[in-house]
Amino acid sequence: MTEVKENKMGVMPVNKLLLSMSVPIMISMLVQALYNIVDSIFVAKISEEALSAVSYAFPLQTLLIAFGGGTGVGVNALLSRALGEKDHKKANVMAMHGVLLAVVNSIIFLIVGLFLVKPFYLSQTNNETIINYGIEYLTIVCTFSFGLFSQFLFERLLQSTGKTIYTMITQATGAIINIILDPILIFGMFGLPKMGVAGAAIATVIGQVVAGVLGFIINQKVNKEIRLQLRGFRPSKNVIIQIYKIGIPSIIMQSIGSIMVYGFNKILGRFTDIKETAVAVFGVYYKLQSFIFMPVFGLNNGMVPIIAYNYGARKKDRMLKTMKLSMLYATAIMVIGLIVFQIFPGPLFSMFEASETMLSMGETALRIISIHFIFVGFNIIGTSTFQSLGNAVYSMIISICRQLLVLLPSAYILSLTGNVNNVWFAFPIAEVVACVLTIVFMIVMNKKIFSKI
């Protein structure tokens, strides 16, 4: 191992390092976002009820991603910090505990998939067709979640050592397989049976399993900074606590997103005559916004190990420059997204076989909701900076205020006007509050950490 490779995150020029770490992840996550959109486009061709069923599934899918992503955040931050401190033994211990926790999470969601999917749908709708579609789709996604959890873990291990080009390969491979299999399994091509929404779910889990296996192989072949070995491994309660001290706030933040979507769907349910259409519109918005948000999350994933590494190495200037550049790039991406959503809402919704009612509602929704994009880039980078420095509780507070204490109450109050279009204004209102809180916590972090390095 050469000295330059070992200290890449501590010596390479910050802008070059950030781009080299982030761009591959951004590309792979764009492919991932494309898959999400294509997946819904194919489902929409079955019926608007099938699209609504997939939209109703979003809160539980978000919860699944929260556990995988939150665990990965904890492992990634601690592993990167250990490498910054040149403690490779500690880094290996963190990696193996990540494997253990991925297995545990898979078992948890296997149980969820077998026993809780039907009650979950019944709590949201009484439309029998949507419930049946939803049970088919979500049961498969949850019971075979081991692919997603393994993909999350092995990609985070590669990110923590600066090998983000390989995460692009794993994510892109899984997403492309998914995109290819979607029409084949949904519509029964090449002699295969027509599976409908179940086909969409099967395509999803196959892509995740392939990406997870590929991630494991790449780690074993090229990630020499980390050694995954069962021999001599002993689970440590203290290590798990350390991982989740950082990871749990992230899990809670994303789980809050799950609660928010669930609650928002219930609020949309107040508009009885257009309930299913409104839920479908909200679901399509989330698919479309992922194409804007995913590059920012990719930038974010490239940034976190850089800040964590240089925090361990006590290099303040590199930490601050990484943070500032990340905010600049993230804001630029979100402004582009805002422009696209303001100018082309009709063509975007037309991809989803939208009825006239759905198209009209969707155009208005996209234009109103996308106003909050102006603040999102700053907020995402700010909250992730808190996580990478071990102060994830700040991120959790911001997320709770934004999505539970502001967004849902605002949406409910606006729903009392009787106009569904007013409900969408809850998003910009909540994001402005989150921006104010992020600035306040940035000032606190500067006094507590940056000024003392």
Side-chain angles (χ1 to χ4, degrees):
M1 188 187 305
T2 66
E3 187 67 20
V4 173
K5 286 184 180 178
E6 182 184 353
N7 294 288
K8 171 183 174 180
M9 288 185 283
V11 298
M12 185 182 286
V14 172
N15 192 44
K16 181 180 178 182
L17 175 62
L18 179 62
L19 292 176
S20 69
M21 291 278 288
S22 302
V23 170
I25 309 176
M26 292 167 72
I27 293 172
S28 62
M29 294 189 85
L30 270 173
V31 175
Q32 193 80 13
L34 179 62
Y35 131 68
N36 285 331
I37 292 173
V38 171
D39 194 51
S40 290
I41 289 173
F42 283 126
V43 169
K45 290 182 182 299
I46 300 173
S47 70
E48 190 171 303
E49 289 174 316
L51 181 60
S52 294
V54 173
S55 299
Y56 277 120
F58 197 79
L60 198 49
Q61 282 185 288
T62 302
L63 192 64
L64 195 154
I65 293 169
F67 274 77
T71 302
V73 165
V75 173
N76 194 352
L78 291 172
L79 203 156
S80 295
R81 192 180 304 173
L83 291 175
E85 295 166 350
K86 306 298 183 292
D87 191 341
H88 290 271
K89 183 178 178 181
K90 182 178 179 182
N92 292 336
V93 169
M94 294 298 173
M96 283 307 302
H97 277 80
V99 173
L100 170 65
L101 294 171
V103 173
V104 172
N105 285 333
S106 300
I107 294 171
I108 291 172
F109 278 91
L110 169 63
I111 296 169
V112 170
L114 292 175
F115 300 107
L116 298 180
V117 169
K118 186 174 181 179
F120 170 74
Y121 269 94
L122 288 171
S123 71
Q124 298 184 88
T125 180
N126 56 8
N127 186 308
E128 189 174 341
T129 303
I130 291 177
I131 291 171
N132 290 335
Y133 277 139
I135 291 172
E136 280 184 59
Y137 179 82
L138 200 51
T139 298
I140 294 169
V141 170
C142 288
T143 53
F144 294 95
S145 62
F146 60 85
L148 178 66
F149 287 119
S150 61
Q151 180 183 353
F152 263 117
L153 172 68
F154 295 125
E155 286 173 355
R156 291 301 186 273
L157 296 186
L158 291 167
Q159 289 170 15
S160 65
T161 56
K163 296 177 176 61
T164 54
I165 186 67
Y166 294 106
T167 65
M168 180 179 71
I169 295 172
T170 58
Q171 286 191 346
T173 300
I176 290 169
I177 287 173
N178 198 329
I179 290 170
I180 293 171
L181 290 179
D182 259 335
I184 294 174
L185 299 180
I186 291 173
F187 304 114
M189 300 167 65
F190 305 111
L192 291 173
K194 184 178 179 180
M195 301 181 190
V197 292
I202 293 170
T204 296
V205 298
I206 289 176
Q208 291 167 349
V209 169
V210 171
V213 171
L214 185 59
F216 172 75
I217 293 172
I218 292 175
N219 267 285
Q220 293 296 84
K221 294 290 185 182
V222 306
N223 210 354
K224 303 302 181 184
E225 290 90 339
I226 299 171
R227 298 180 64 192
L228 295 171
Q229 284 188 332
L230 279 173
R231 183 183 301 171
F233 172 67
R234 295 288 182 274
S236 166
K237 181 171 125 180
N238 288 334
V239 171
I240 293 173
I241 289 172
Q242 286 180 58
I243 290 172
Y244 280 118
K245 183 180 178 183
I246 295 175
I248 281 181
S250 180
I251 291 172
I252 291 174
M253 280 189 293
Q254 293 187 66
S255 298
I256 288 168
S258 175
I259 296 169
M260 182 277 289
V261 173
Y262 182 87
F264 209 91
N265 283 341
K266 297 286 280 185
I267 290 170
L268 292 175
R270 291 173 53 82
F271 301 92
T272 310
D273 295 339
I274 55 171
K275 172 183 176 182
E276 310 301 352
T277 300
V279 170
V281 164
F282 188 45
V284 168
Y285 158 72
Y286 254 92
K287 298 290 184 178
L288 291 172
Q289 62 106 42
S290 70
F291 203 71
I292 310 300
F293 278 59
M294 284 296 191
V296 177
F297 291 142
L299 174 70
N300 182 60
N301 288 341
M303 176 203 75
V304 167
I306 298 173
I307 292 181
Y309 183 100
N310 286 284
Y311 180 44
R314 315 304 286 174
K315 295 184 177 181
K316 174 181 176 179
D317 290 343
R318 292 179 64 81
M319 293 166 60
L320 289 173
K321 189 169 183 181
T322 300
M323 184 177 68
K324 290 174 182 177
L325 283 171
S326 297
M327 286 183 174
L328 177 64
Y329 290 140
T331 301
I333 292 169
M334 295 310 302
V335 168
I336 292 171
L338 170 64
I339 294 170
V340 171
F341 275 38
Q342 291 294 321
I343 298 176
F344 305 109
L348 289 172
F349 255 89
S350 295
M351 296 188 298
F352 298 87
E353 308 291 321
S355 62
E356 282 190 28
T357 302
M358 183 176 173
L359 184 61
S360 175
M361 188 187 300
E363 288 180 348
T364 303
L366 285 193
R367 287 197 172 107
I368 294 173
I369 298 175
S370 61
I371 295 170
H372 85 290
F373 287 5
I374 299 170
F375 309 98
V376 168
F378 173 80
N379 290 340
I380 289 176
I381 299 302
T383 54
S384 295
T385 298
F386 303 149
Q387 291 175 318
S388 63
L389 298 176
N391 286 271
V393 68
Y394 292 165
S395 305
M396 183 175 65
I397 291 171
I398 292 170
S399 188
I400 290 173
C401 289
R402 175 204 285 129
Q403 300 188 78
L404 296 188
L405 301 184
V406 180
L407 193 147
L408 284 182
S410 297
Y412 178 77
I413 292 169
L414 290 168
S415 74
L416 298 178
T417 64
N419 185 347
V420 69
N421 291 328
N422 291 336
V423 176
W424 313 122
F425 281 104
F427 283 90
I429 292 170
E431 208 63 40
V432 169
V433 174
C435 187
V436 172
L437 287 173
T438 301
I439 292 171
V440 170
F441 286 131
M442 279 287 184
I443 295 170
V444 174
M445 286 289 289
N446 182 56
K447 292 180 180 178
K448 289 178 61 176
I449 293 181
F450 291 113
S451 64
K452 295 182 179 179
I453 299 177

